[in-house]
Amino acid sequence: MNRINQKLKEDKKLLSIYFTAGYPNIDDTVTIIQNLEKSGVDMIEIGLPFSDPLADGPTIQASSTAALKNGMTTELLFEQLKDIRQTVSIPLIIMGYFNPILQYGVEEFCKKCKEIGIDGLIIPDLPVDVYHSDYQQTFEKYGLINVFLITPQTSDERIRYIDSVSDGFIYMVSSASTTGAKTGFGDTQTEYFERIANMNLKNPQIVGFGISNNDTFTQATKYAKGAIIGSAFIKHLTNNGVETVASFVNPIIATEN
Protein backbone atom coordinates (compact mmCIF):
# COMPACT_ATOMS: atom_id res chain seq x y z
CA MET A 1 0.00 0.00 0.00
CA ASN A 2 1.18 3.51 -0.82
CA ARG A 3 2.55 5.36 2.24
CA ILE A 4 -0.04 8.13 1.76
CA ASN A 5 -2.91 5.64 2.01
CA GLN A 6 -1.32 4.03 5.07
CA LYS A 7 -0.98 7.42 6.75
CA LEU A 8 -4.58 8.38 5.95
CA LYS A 9 -5.78 5.29 7.85
CA GLU A 10 -4.22 6.51 11.10
CA ASP A 11 -6.66 7.66 13.76
CA LYS A 12 -5.41 11.24 14.06
CA LYS A 13 -5.48 14.59 12.35
CA LEU A 14 -2.58 14.84 9.93
CA LEU A 15 -0.12 17.69 9.57
CA SER A 16 1.56 18.07 6.19
CA ILE A 17 4.33 20.63 5.73
CA TYR A 18 5.33 22.23 2.44
CA PHE A 19 8.74 23.70 1.76
CA THR A 20 10.63 24.71 -1.37
CA ALA A 21 13.51 22.43 -2.38
CA GLY A 22 16.83 24.26 -2.41
CA TYR A 23 15.73 26.97 0.04
CA PRO A 24 17.06 28.69 2.11
CA ASN A 25 20.26 27.06 0.79
CA ILE A 26 20.73 24.65 -2.08
CA ASP A 27 21.80 21.75 0.17
CA ASP A 28 19.10 22.17 2.85
CA THR A 29 16.51 19.88 1.23
CA VAL A 30 17.38 16.58 2.92
CA THR A 31 18.10 18.20 6.31
CA ILE A 32 14.68 19.87 6.32
CA ILE A 33 12.93 16.60 5.44
CA GLN A 34 14.76 14.70 8.17
CA ASN A 35 14.09 17.41 10.76
CA LEU A 36 10.39 17.52 9.84
CA GLU A 37 10.00 13.78 10.35
CA LYS A 38 11.85 13.93 13.68
CA SER A 39 9.48 16.72 14.76
CA GLY A 40 6.39 14.54 14.25
CA VAL A 41 5.08 15.80 10.90
CA ASP A 42 2.89 13.24 9.09
CA MET A 43 3.59 14.10 5.46
CA ILE A 44 5.93 16.39 3.55
CA GLU A 45 5.35 18.29 0.33
CA ILE A 46 8.59 19.08 -1.43
CA GLY A 47 8.16 22.10 -3.69
CA LEU A 48 9.86 21.92 -7.07
CA PRO A 49 10.57 25.59 -7.78
CA PHE A 50 9.21 27.09 -11.00
CA SER A 51 9.58 30.52 -12.54
CA ASP A 52 5.84 31.15 -12.94
CA PRO A 53 4.05 29.65 -9.90
CA LEU A 54 0.39 30.56 -10.49
CA ALA A 55 -1.10 29.37 -7.20
CA ASP A 56 1.64 30.57 -4.88
CA GLY A 57 1.55 33.66 -2.71
CA PRO A 58 4.50 36.05 -2.26
CA THR A 59 6.30 34.01 0.43
CA ILE A 60 6.45 30.79 -1.61
CA GLN A 61 7.15 32.73 -4.82
CA ALA A 62 10.13 34.41 -3.17
CA SER A 63 11.44 31.05 -1.92
CA SER A 64 11.08 29.58 -5.43
CA THR A 65 12.96 32.50 -6.96
CA ALA A 66 15.74 32.13 -4.39
CA ALA A 67 15.92 28.35 -4.91
CA LEU A 68 16.21 28.79 -8.68
CA LYS A 69 18.97 31.36 -8.16
CA ASN A 70 20.66 28.86 -5.82
CA GLY A 71 20.74 26.45 -8.77
CA MET A 72 17.86 24.08 -7.95
CA THR A 73 16.72 21.92 -10.88
CA THR A 74 14.59 18.80 -11.27
CA GLU A 75 17.71 16.72 -11.87
CA LEU A 76 19.41 18.11 -8.78
CA LEU A 77 16.36 17.45 -6.62
CA PHE A 78 16.32 13.81 -7.70
CA GLU A 79 20.04 13.58 -6.95
CA GLN A 80 19.53 15.09 -3.47
CA LEU A 81 16.70 12.64 -2.71
CA LYS A 82 18.27 9.46 -4.08
CA ASP A 83 19.02 8.03 -0.61
CA ILE A 84 16.15 9.69 1.30
CA ARG A 85 14.41 6.40 2.10
CA GLN A 86 17.41 5.26 4.11
CA THR A 87 16.53 7.80 6.79
CA VAL A 88 12.89 8.91 6.23
CA SER A 89 9.75 6.75 6.31
CA ILE A 90 6.79 9.20 6.17
CA PRO A 91 5.00 10.01 2.89
CA LEU A 92 6.83 12.37 0.54
CA ILE A 93 4.97 14.30 -2.15
CA ILE A 94 6.51 16.47 -4.85
CA MET A 95 4.46 19.59 -5.54
CA GLY A 96 5.22 21.43 -8.72
CA TYR A 97 3.93 22.76 -12.00
CA PHE A 98 3.49 20.65 -15.09
CA ASN A 99 5.97 22.43 -17.35
CA PRO A 100 9.17 21.14 -15.68
CA ILE A 101 7.66 17.63 -15.51
CA LEU A 102 6.77 17.77 -19.22
CA GLN A 103 10.27 18.99 -20.04
CA TYR A 104 11.80 16.15 -18.05
CA GLY A 105 9.43 13.63 -19.65
CA VAL A 106 6.32 12.54 -17.76
CA GLU A 107 7.12 8.83 -17.74
CA GLU A 108 10.77 9.39 -16.90
CA PHE A 109 9.75 11.75 -14.07
CA CYS A 110 7.33 9.16 -12.64
CA LYS A 111 9.92 6.40 -12.97
CA LYS A 112 12.46 8.49 -11.09
CA CYS A 113 9.92 9.24 -8.35
CA LYS A 114 9.30 5.53 -7.86
CA GLU A 115 13.04 4.76 -7.72
CA ILE A 116 13.58 7.38 -5.02
CA GLY A 117 10.48 6.53 -2.98
CA ILE A 118 8.22 9.50 -3.73
CA ASP A 119 4.59 8.62 -2.94
CA GLY A 120 2.59 11.25 -4.79
CA LEU A 121 2.47 14.41 -6.85
CA ILE A 122 0.51 17.64 -6.61
CA ILE A 123 0.43 19.50 -9.94
CA PRO A 124 -1.95 22.48 -9.61
CA ASP A 125 -1.99 23.28 -13.34
CA LEU A 126 -2.64 19.74 -14.62
CA PRO A 127 -6.41 19.53 -15.27
CA VAL A 128 -8.05 16.39 -13.94
CA ASP A 129 -9.55 15.63 -17.37
CA VAL A 130 -6.13 15.71 -19.05
CA TYR A 131 -4.62 13.62 -16.27
CA HIS A 132 -7.41 11.06 -16.55
CA SER A 133 -7.18 10.73 -20.34
CA ASP A 134 -3.41 11.06 -20.88
CA TYR A 135 -1.41 10.34 -17.74
CA GLN A 136 -3.33 8.33 -15.14
CA GLN A 137 -2.08 4.97 -16.41
CA THR A 138 1.52 6.19 -16.23
CA PHE A 139 1.13 7.49 -12.68
CA GLU A 140 -0.48 4.24 -11.58
CA LYS A 141 2.21 2.17 -13.32
CA TYR A 142 4.78 3.75 -11.00
CA GLY A 143 2.60 3.67 -7.88
CA LEU A 144 2.15 7.44 -7.64
CA ILE A 145 -0.91 9.12 -6.17
CA ASN A 146 -1.90 12.33 -7.94
CA VAL A 147 -3.56 14.86 -5.64
CA PHE A 148 -6.08 17.35 -7.04
CA LEU A 149 -7.12 20.72 -5.65
CA ILE A 150 -10.67 21.93 -5.09
CA THR A 151 -11.76 25.44 -4.06
CA PRO A 152 -14.96 26.96 -2.67
CA GLN A 153 -15.89 27.70 -6.30
CA THR A 154 -15.51 24.11 -7.54
CA SER A 155 -18.92 22.67 -8.45
CA ASP A 156 -20.25 19.59 -6.67
CA GLU A 157 -20.24 17.76 -10.00
CA ARG A 158 -16.58 18.56 -10.54
CA ILE A 159 -15.70 17.59 -6.97
CA ARG A 160 -17.39 14.22 -7.42
CA TYR A 161 -15.51 13.68 -10.68
CA ILE A 162 -12.19 14.53 -8.98
CA ASP A 163 -13.12 12.16 -6.17
CA SER A 164 -13.83 9.35 -8.65
CA VAL A 165 -10.43 9.80 -10.35
CA SER A 166 -8.48 10.17 -7.09
CA ASP A 167 -6.98 7.50 -4.87
CA GLY A 168 -5.46 9.30 -1.91
CA PHE A 169 -6.70 12.61 -0.58
CA ILE A 170 -8.24 15.75 -2.02
CA TYR A 171 -6.38 19.02 -1.43
CA MET A 172 -9.10 21.36 -0.22
CA VAL A 173 -8.01 24.95 -0.87
CA SER A 174 -9.50 27.02 1.95
CA SER A 175 -10.27 30.09 -0.16
CA ALA A 176 -10.13 31.37 -3.72
CA SER A 177 -6.74 33.03 -3.35
CA THR A 178 -3.05 32.29 -3.53
CA THR A 179 -1.16 30.62 -0.69
CA GLY A 180 -0.37 32.55 2.47
CA ALA A 181 -0.80 32.46 6.22
CA LYS A 182 -3.98 33.92 7.72
CA THR A 183 -5.15 34.56 11.25
CA GLY A 184 -8.27 32.44 11.06
CA PHE A 185 -11.21 31.23 9.02
CA GLY A 186 -14.55 33.03 8.72
CA ASP A 187 -18.09 31.69 8.49
CA THR A 188 -17.92 31.32 4.70
CA GLN A 189 -14.88 29.05 4.88
CA THR A 190 -16.32 27.05 7.77
CA GLU A 191 -19.53 26.49 5.80
CA TYR A 192 -17.44 25.34 2.83
CA PHE A 193 -15.49 22.86 5.00
CA GLU A 194 -18.77 21.54 6.39
CA ARG A 195 -20.39 21.30 2.94
CA ILE A 196 -17.53 19.21 1.56
CA ALA A 197 -17.52 16.99 4.66
CA ASN A 198 -21.24 16.33 4.14
CA MET A 199 -20.65 15.15 0.56
CA ASN A 200 -19.25 11.89 2.00
CA LEU A 201 -16.51 11.61 -0.61
CA LYS A 202 -14.48 8.41 -0.80
CA ASN A 203 -11.20 10.32 -0.49
CA PRO A 204 -10.44 12.24 2.73
CA GLN A 205 -9.75 15.96 2.47
CA ILE A 206 -6.70 17.87 3.64
CA VAL A 207 -7.00 21.65 3.88
CA GLY A 208 -4.36 23.98 2.49
CA PHE A 209 -3.83 27.75 2.17
CA GLY A 210 -4.15 29.97 5.25
CA ILE A 211 -2.98 27.59 8.00
CA SER A 212 -0.15 28.89 10.15
CA ASN A 213 -0.52 27.82 13.79
CA ASN A 214 -2.37 25.58 16.23
CA ASP A 215 -5.59 27.63 16.04
CA THR A 216 -5.92 27.56 12.27
CA PHE A 217 -4.79 23.90 12.19
CA THR A 218 -7.55 23.00 14.68
CA GLN A 219 -10.17 25.00 12.76
CA ALA A 220 -9.18 23.45 9.44
CA THR A 221 -9.18 19.88 10.72
CA LYS A 222 -12.55 20.05 12.48
CA TYR A 223 -14.17 18.81 9.26
CA ALA A 224 -11.13 17.45 7.40
CA LYS A 225 -8.53 14.73 7.89
CA GLY A 226 -5.60 17.09 8.03
CA ALA A 227 -4.06 20.41 7.08
CA ILE A 228 -1.09 21.68 5.11
CA ILE A 229 1.19 24.51 6.18
CA GLY A 230 3.51 26.17 3.68
CA SER A 231 4.04 29.92 3.81
CA ALA A 232 4.27 30.15 7.61
CA PHE A 233 6.88 27.38 7.68
CA ILE A 234 8.95 29.01 4.93
CA LYS A 235 8.88 32.30 6.88
CA HIS A 236 10.09 30.37 9.92
CA LEU A 237 12.97 28.86 7.92
CA THR A 238 13.87 32.28 6.55
CA ASN A 239 13.99 33.85 10.00
CA ASN A 240 15.30 30.98 12.12
CA GLY A 241 17.12 28.45 9.93
CA VAL A 242 16.74 24.74 9.22
CA GLU A 243 17.81 23.48 12.63
CA THR A 244 14.79 25.07 14.35
CA VAL A 245 12.09 23.00 12.65
CA ALA A 246 10.87 21.42 15.89
CA SER A 247 10.15 24.81 17.47
CA PHE A 248 7.74 25.53 14.60
CA VAL A 249 6.04 22.12 14.48
CA ASN A 250 5.69 21.31 18.19
CA PRO A 251 3.15 24.04 19.10
CA ILE A 252 0.95 23.07 16.13
CA ILE A 253 0.68 19.39 16.98
CA ALA A 254 0.78 19.87 20.77
CA THR A 255 -2.93 19.08 21.21
CA GLU A 256 -2.87 16.18 18.73
CA ASN A 257 -0.37 13.92 20.43
Side-chain angles (χ1 to χ4, degrees):
M1 185 187 285
N2 186 292
R3 292 180 194 88
I4 295 170
N5 296 124
Q6 288 178 321
K7 181 59 72 172
L8 291 167
K9 287 182 182 298
E10 293 184 12
D11 185 22
K12 61 176 292 198
K13 300 296 186 181
L14 304 181
L15 173 63
S16 182
I17 294 282
Y18 168 96
F19 77 98
T20 304
Y23 180 84
N25 300 300
I26 192 72
D27 294 324
D28 286 338
T29 308
V30 171
T31 303
I32 292 170
I33 292 169
Q34 291 170 337
N35 288 346
L36 282 169
E37 179 171 55
K38 288 174 193 166
S39 301
V41 167
D42 297 293
M43 289 194 285
I44 300 171
E45 293 172 21
I46 305 159
L48 180 60
F50 182 52
S51 55
D52 190 23
L54 302 175
D56 296 326
T59 301
I60 293 176
Q61 279 195 24
S63 69
S64 282
T65 301
L68 291 170
K69 284 181 180 172
N70 288 344
M72 180 49 70
T73 63
T74 305
E75 195 63 66
L76 179 56
L77 177 60
F78 284 145
E79 177 65 24
Q80 288 179 347
L81 297 178
K82 69 180 191 298
D83 298 319
I84 196 67
R85 285 303 175 193
Q86 292 179 16
T87 55
V88 173
S89 62
I90 61 174
L92 298 175
I93 299 169
I94 290 180
M95 183 169 185
Y97 291 86
F98 195 50
N99 191 280
I101 297 170
L102 204 55
Q103 286 182 335
Y104 195 88
V106 176
E107 178 140 12
E108 191 58 32
F109 189 92
C110 292
K111 183 181 176 186
K112 202 73 180 172
C113 285
K114 180 178 174 64
E115 286 172 10
I116 289 165
I118 298 298
D119 303 291
L121 299 173
I122 301 172
I123 311 168
D125 59 342
L126 175 60
V128 61
D129 322 67
V130 177
Y131 165 76
H132 187 42
S133 61
D134 296 358
Y135 301 112
Q136 186 166 358
Q137 286 184 319
T138 305
F139 277 54
E140 290 175 352
K141 176 181 173 182
Y142 294 102
L144 293 168
I145 285 174
N146 196 27
V147 177
F148 293 100
L149 284 70
I150 63 170
T151 74
Q153 281 66 45
T154 309
S155 70
D156 285 6
E157 181 184 18
R158 186 80 170 168
I159 291 168
R160 292 201 184 279
Y161 176 57
I162 287 170
D163 189 47
S164 72
V165 173
S166 301
D167 181 30
F169 67 89
I170 292 172
Y171 189 131
M172 189 160 67
V173 176
S174 65
S175 61
S177 66
T178 55
T179 57
K182 296 178 176 61
T183 54
F185 297 114
D187 292 343
T188 304
Q189 285 161 314
T190 303
E191 286 166 14
Y192 159 61
F193 296 158
E194 196 169 357
R195 174 170 68 84
I196 302 302
N198 289 336
M199 288 180 73
N200 296 314
L201 303 174
K202 73 179 175 78
N203 292 277
Q205 300 89 57
I206 296 185
V207 179
F209 293 40
I211 295 118
S212 60
N213 53 29
N214 182 273
D215 285 347
T216 43
F217 177 78
T218 303
Q219 278 183 283
T221 55
K222 182 177 179 183
Y223 298 103
K225 177 64 180 172
I228 300 156
I229 298 179
S231 297
F233 179 65
I234 288 172
K235 284 178 183 172
H236 179 87
L237 288 178
T238 305
N239 296 329
N240 304 286
V242 300
E243 298 303 333
T244 65
V245 167
S247 67
F248 178 83
V249 174
N250 290 346
I252 295 163
I253 59 175
T255 55
E256 281 302 309
N257 299 324

